[in-house]
Amino acid sequence: MDIKLKSYSQSNIIKIAVFMIVILCFTGVIRELVKIKELNGVNYRIIFEDNYFLSDAYVKESDMIISNLMRLIGEYKNEENIKNGGSIDEEELRMEVENLFAEFQGNSRSFNPQLSQEENYKIFKVEYADKITLAKDRLIQADLKEYHLLVQNLEEHKDPLYYVSDGKNTYSNSSKLENEQLKTYPTYMKFEKYKSEIYPKEIKDNQYLYRITESINNLDQENTVVYVAFTKDFLNQKVKEWKENKVKATNSFYMLVSFLAGLLLSFLYLVVVTGRKSSKKEDVHFNPVDKLYNDINLLLCIGLVILWGTLVNELYIDINKIIIPITIPIAVAGLVLVLSLVKHFKNKTLFRHTLIYSILSKLVAFIGEVYKNGSVGVKTVLIVIGYPIAVALTFFMFPVTIGVAAWFALKKIKSFHAIQEGVERIKDGDIHHCVNVDGDGEFGRLAANINSITDGLKKAVDSELKGERLKSELITNVSHDIRTPLTSIITYVDLLKKEQDPSKVQGFIEILDQKSKRLKVLTDNLFDAAKASSGNIPVHFERIDMVSLLTQGLGEVSDKIEDLDLKFKMNYPKEKVYIAADGKLMWRAIENLLSNIFKYALQASRIYIDIEDLGNEILLTFKNISAYELNISADELMERFKRGDESRSSQGSGLGLSIAKSLIEIQKGKFIIQVDGDLFKAMIYMPKNSNE
């Protein structure tokens, strides 16, 4: 007992330690992400940049200047152009005019609905001319404000050096930046007359350079000239900053990967061991916090994330100081809730242990119990009481409630009429009619019971008709098969009385002998069939080697096999196969099958005999090709006095298969035949005897 308690205590200590590691690693990940965000414009891509000229920082430094210059040259030109309305966006002006026209339509007395849109618009242009002018002035003032802000922003930049001109307007922060002097700087960009020159040339491999070239391509490149250059001191400063940021980002990245790896491994460990008291596999162990419904749990997790985000956003100025104190308690609460969900996932109660599922399942169970066990009277009372309550609760959608009630009532009325009509048709003799009622309610069960009675009636009638047909065919076939040899005997007896020639007399006697033996075979088979079907034959079960029985039996009929030029192919397991059967009765059944094959199989064909071990049963299968066209079903072939040749010209009695079936069944076996075209297959299932 002490050992178990000690082991349990150690296991809990390990879980608590790993829990703390998860919290620390998660907090470390958040801290590193905050640190990298604090580096202005720096992200983890800087780690994979080879040098400053191929960096995002280099393009950003130039792109900010060039973007502002492009707006000045391309959009505003100069202050005079703005004051003349040259910078007004046509779309913005159109929207302003449309708003004023809408105001004119709603408020002005000059608007005449009888006039066309064009005529009213002309009136609007005259009446609202001052307001349209004011709208234009507002747009101009907004552009002037933006223009001066851009100019002021550019003037504050001493580096990098820039020069831009469209032939009329020029903006520059250096008088020394001319075409020839440009090449004296350590790095520069020159865009002039559809051509570009960038130094050093490796900058062209910078994957972020497209941000600058796209801005240039939007201008009239025929007249626009753009120069941007870095002085040596400015470049050295930026390269130094880039290297420092790369070192910081690299260190932060390694820390981030380390924390992520620790977080992943420790969290996976908690996922595996949570809910277990020990390392052995057992039922999931729940704590009081796990009683909280999973949907409430999930809402709390979402709430914790929102709370954390709100606190970080509100206190972002002191983010480095407050990030750890904020993250740790929220992470602890969140991890406890997540591990609770993991326990329920392991226990397969993730959905079943929710408040929604609990309420719905109880409601459905209650309604189902009432409908399953309650009488019609109880259900009627519940509907009478429940419907007004449902109407009161859903008063805001009263038409829908009425519609549902009407649909339900109509459905039940249709079910009642369907049953009523079906009973009338069955009463009038249409026993093949089926009452179709959907659902499992009273009407559904009543319809199913009526259909069951109808099925019983159909089976009884079909059985009676089949019995009458079999009786008629039995009498016809027995009469035909017995009368044929009997007629021959009578005929040859009459001839024998009159014939004086000894040689002919001898021939008549042989025919009489043959016909009398044929008659004896028919009567014996008829007797055997009656006796086998009645079950009065005594059965002595013994352990029989199936392969030996077949091999010995085929040896006894080898002469017949040779005469018909048949080839027997046997397939059986390597190990001996034993059945529980009566040896004599089993051989008689097999002999009848072989006799059937000899009479009806195609000469010079192959006969397949397969023995299969099915576990508790042994399957013996005979397959042969019929010499006659098998245009009757397998069920008909099993009937007494039924032959494969409908002309009844062969020497068979039509009782062989029936006798074989009866003999197999009294030995607790199964006898099945199948017909597929001219392929005849007989299958015998016998109980397996596995006792030594």
Side-chain angles (χ1 to χ4, degrees), residues 135-384:
K136 287 183 179 180
D137 290 341
R138 283 198 303 273
L139 294 176
I140 290 171
Q141 291 302 318
D143 286 348
L144 278 172
K145 182 179 179 181
E146 183 66 20
Y147 169 79
H148 288 298
L149 286 174
L150 284 174
V151 171
Q152 182 181 353
N153 186 31
L154 288 169
E155 288 175 349
E156 291 175 356
H157 282 82
K158 295 181 179 180
D159 286 297
L161 303 179
Y162 62 85
Y163 172 86
V164 62
S165 175
D166 61 356
K168 297 179 180 179
N169 305 290
T170 301
Y171 296 93
S172 177
N173 65 348
S174 174
S175 59
K176 299 179 181 179
L177 195 63
E178 297 178 356
N179 190 15
E180 295 301 326
Q181 293 178 331
L182 189 64
K183 297 182 180 180
T184 62
Y185 293 99
T187 177
Y188 62 85
M189 295 183 186
K190 175 184 175 182
F191 301 93
E192 184 176 7
K193 294 183 185 261
Y194 301 102
K195 295 180 181 180
S196 64
E197 183 179 344
I198 300 174
Y199 182 82
K201 292 183 178 180
E202 62 180 311
I203 295 174
K204 291 184 177 180
D205 296 329
N206 191 313
Q207 60 179 323
Y208 311 107
L209 187 63
Y210 70 91
R211 298 205 293 262
I212 294 175
T213 56
E214 284 182 354
S215 299
I216 300 296
N217 292 337
N218 292 330
L219 295 178
D220 177 16
Q221 297 183 50
E222 178 67 28
N223 301 313
T224 303
V225 177
V226 180
Y227 301 153
V228 177
F230 284 28
T231 62
K232 185 175 182 180
D233 292 338
F234 183 72
L235 178 62
N236 291 337
Q237 177 191 346
K238 292 300 176 182
V239 170
K240 182 181 177 182
E241 289 177 3
W242 176 82
K243 289 180 178 179
E244 290 174 353
N245 288 335
K246 182 172 182 179
V247 171
K248 292 178 182 178
T250 303
N251 293 335
S252 176
F253 179 75
Y254 288 147
M255 291 295 293
L256 180 65
V257 171
S258 301
F259 282 128
L260 282 174
L263 175 63
L264 180 62
L265 293 175
S266 54
F267 180 73
L268 287 177
Y269 174 81
L270 285 182
V271 168
V272 172
V273 302
T274 190
R276 296 183 182 176
K277 290 184 178 180
S278 64
S279 59
K280 295 181 180 178
K281 291 183 179 179
E282 54 185 18
D283 293 338
V284 178
H285 173 69
F286 289 103
N287 295 319
V289 70
D290 302 319
K291 294 180 181 179
L292 186 68
Y293 286 115
N294 291 333
D295 43 0
I296 304 298
N297 185 330
L298 190 60
L299 289 175
L300 287 176
C301 289
I302 296 172
L304 288 173
V305 173
I306 295 172
L307 175 62
W308 182 85
T310 303
L311 291 174
V312 169
N313 187 56
E314 292 293 330
L315 305 172
Y316 193 78
I317 297 175
D318 299 320
I319 188 66
N320 288 317
K321 295 179 181 179
I322 58 92
I323 189 63
I324 293 177
I326 288 177
T327 302
I328 288 179
I330 293 178
V332 169
L335 184 57
V336 170
L337 295 175
V338 169
L339 291 178
S340 177
L341 293 175
V342 170
K343 288 182 184 180
H344 284 288
F345 178 79
K346 287 184 176 182
N347 198 48
K348 298 180 180 178
T349 55
L350 188 62
F351 177 69
R352 287 189 287 118
H353 187 69
T354 58
L355 183 60
I356 295 174
Y357 180 86
S358 178
I359 294 173
L360 291 178
S361 61
K362 288 178 181 178
L363 182 61
V364 171
F366 172 75
I367 296 173
E369 191 68 23
V370 170
Y371 268 83
K372 183 178 180 181
N373 299 321
S375 63
V376 176
V378 172
K379 294 177 183 179
T380 304
V381 171
L382 287 175
I383 292 173
V384 170

Side-chain angles (χ1 to χ4, degrees), residues 16 38 40 93 98 109 113 268 298 330 340 354 406 418 426 440 446 466 479 541 555 557 614 658:
I16 293 171
E38 285 296 293
N40 293 328
L93 180 60
E98 284 184 357
R109 295 180 180 179
L268 287 177
L298 190 60
I330 293 178
S340 177
T354 58
I426 294 169
D440 297 325
L446 178 60
K466 184 178 180 182
S479 301
F541 286 99
V557 294
L614 303 181
S658 177

Side-chain angles (χ1 to χ4, degrees), residues 340-524:
S340 177
L341 293 175
V342 170
K343 288 182 184 180
H344 284 288
F345 178 79
K346 287 184 176 182
N347 198 48
K348 298 180 180 178
T349 55
L350 188 62
F351 177 69
R352 287 189 287 118
H353 187 69
T354 58
L355 183 60
I356 295 174
Y357 180 86
S358 178
I359 294 173
L360 291 178
S361 61
K362 288 178 181 178
L363 182 61
V364 171
F366 172 75
I367 296 173
E369 191 68 23
V370 170
Y371 268 83
K372 183 178 180 181
N373 299 321
S375 63
V376 176
V378 172
K379 294 177 183 179
T380 304
V381 171
L382 287 175
I383 292 173
V384 170
I385 296 174
Y387 181 70
I389 296 174
V391 171
L393 293 175
T394 58
F395 66 91
F396 55 90
M397 47 183 291
F398 181 73
V400 176
T401 308
I402 291 291
V404 171
W407 170 81
F408 181 78
L410 181 62
K411 185 179 179 182
K412 293 299 179 183
I413 292 171
K414 284 184 176 180
S415 298
F416 175 76
H417 284 314
I419 294 172
Q420 189 179 42
E421 181 185 353
V423 171
E424 289 291 333
R425 291 183 61 176
I426 294 169
K427 184 191 71 173
D428 293 337
D430 185 4
I431 62 174
H432 295 283
H433 178 70
C434 179
V435 181
N436 294 317
V437 174
D438 297 331
D440 297 325
E442 284 77 10
F443 288 149
R445 289 194 292 272
L446 178 60
N449 292 335
I450 294 172
N451 291 333
S452 297
I453 295 172
T454 306
D455 292 340
L457 285 172
K458 286 191 290 184
K459 289 180 181 178
V461 171
D462 291 342
S463 178
E464 185 67 24
L465 292 174
K466 184 178 180 182
E468 292 296 328
R469 181 177 61 80
L470 289 177
K471 286 180 184 178
S472 176
E473 288 187 2
L474 178 62
I475 293 170
T476 302
N477 292 335
V478 169
S479 301
H480 177 274
D481 288 349
I482 293 178
R483 185 176 61 184
T484 300
L486 188 59
T487 302
S488 299
I489 291 172
I490 294 170
T491 301
Y492 280 99
V493 167
D494 289 339
L495 291 174
L496 189 60
K497 290 177 182 179
K498 300 175 183 178
E499 187 59 53
Q500 301 296 325
D501 188 349
S503 60
K504 290 185 178 181
V505 169
Q506 186 62 34
F508 291 162
I509 292 173
E510 290 178 0
I511 293 172
L512 285 171
D513 181 61
Q514 179 184 353
K515 297 300 181 180
S516 61
K517 288 179 179 178
R518 169 66 178 158
L519 186 59
K520 182 177 183 303
V521 169
L522 288 172
T523 53
D524 287 345

